Amino acid sequence: MGSSLIADLPLLTKAPRQEQFVDRPRLEPLLSELQPLTQARGNLQGRLEGVRRKEEEAREAYATDMASFDNWRSARSATEQSSQNPEVIARVRQLDTQLDQQRRLSAERQGLERQLGDLQSRIDTPQRQVDQLQAEAQTRWQRARQRAEGRAFVIRLLFVGPLLALAIWQFRRFRGSDQWPFVWGFLLFGLFAF
């Protein structure tokens, strides 16, 4: 019972929460400014990933078609059939089309990366301010938590100190008597409670 009473003593004071120390009037406008920017960044990153995927697929398709064309051209030069010249031209045009698609996708990717960089630079300033406000709140919260722990320690000391003093007095007074075991119990209770 004594240990549960001592354990509940810190509940006499409420422990501070970190949210209490955030400067809400300064934080709210920054968060409302950041929300659409971060959504736009997410959308841009999704589009950029899609373009990168398409660019990689186009590159792989071109490499496959080029290898096929090289093999076919080697076989054609070995047979030297001039009747296949229109097919050579058609395959070259197909490869040129694929190269154009790669260039277009590369230009689109570079444009999206530039937009993403510009957007990130617009996000950086308010994000640094939000981080600074949260760091300041963290510092104030740590100090308040230390003060709360100090108050809990003082409350425990005020409650247990007289018991400890009484236990020490009884220890000195009844050391040689037949009530000696009870003194040890009282002393141990006082020490453990503290």
Side-chain angles (χ1 to χ4, degrees):
M1 184 175 92
S3 65
S4 63
L5 178 67
I6 296 297
D8 289 340
L9 279 178
L11 297 178
L12 294 175
T13 61
K14 290 190 176 189
R17 294 187 332 265
Q18 189 170 1
E19 304 88 42
Q20 295 172 312
F21 298 95
V22 175
D23 190 1
R24 287 284 173 204
R26 287 176 53 200
L27 183 66
E28 293 299 329
L30 291 171
L31 291 178
S32 63
E33 179 184 347
L34 277 174
Q35 183 183 13
L37 292 175
T38 53
Q39 279 183 331
R41 180 180 58 187
N43 293 340
L44 269 177
Q45 285 174 337
R47 285 177 49 200
L48 183 62
E49 286 303 313
V51 168
R52 283 181 179 156
R53 216 174 308 112
K54 287 179 186 176
E55 188 178 17
E56 185 62 33
E57 289 169 2
R59 207 175 292 127
E60 288 173 4
Y62 176 77
T64 303
D65 287 350
M66 187 64 175
S68 173
F69 176 71
D70 288 340
N71 291 340
W72 180 81
R73 192 176 50 174
S74 298
R76 184 199 170 281
S77 66
T79 61
E80 294 184 10
Q81 294 178 352
S82 61
S83 63
Q84 293 179 343
N85 283 343
E87 190 174 342
V88 171
I89 294 170
R91 284 190 172 206
V92 168
R93 284 188 182 143
Q94 180 186 2
L95 289 172
D96 287 343
T97 304
Q98 287 177 334
L99 277 177
D100 288 341
Q101 182 183 11
Q102 282 184 25
R103 284 188 206 107
R104 181 184 55 78
L105 288 171
S106 178
E108 185 178 352
R109 176 184 49 80
Q110 289 171 356
L112 287 173
E113 286 173 347
R114 269 193 304 277
Q115 288 178 6
L116 192 59
D118 293 343
L119 188 60
Q120 187 62 42
S121 66
R122 287 177 50 203
I123 288 174
D124 284 344
T125 302
Q127 185 64 49
R128 274 195 300 270
Q129 292 172 348
V130 166
D131 293 343
Q132 181 183 2
L133 287 174
Q134 289 176 341
E136 290 170 2
Q138 176 80 12
T139 304
R140 288 192 298 266
W141 174 67
Q142 290 287 348
R143 277 190 249 132
R145 199 181 81 198
Q146 288 173 349
R147 283 193 304 270
E149 288 173 358
R151 277 193 302 270
F153 175 76
V154 167
I155 290 171
R156 281 183 175 175
L157 185 62
L158 289 175
F159 182 74
V160 175
L163 293 176
L164 206 52
L166 182 63
I168 291 171
W169 175 77
Q170 283 185 344
F171 178 75
R172 295 186 80 210
R173 181 155 188 262
F174 297 108
R175 190 172 22 195
S177 72
D178 43 339
Q179 289 149 0
W180 177 250
F182 298 112
V183 171
W184 271 110
F186 201 71
L187 183 64
L188 290 176
F189 167 75
L191 286 174
F192 284 117
F194 183 68

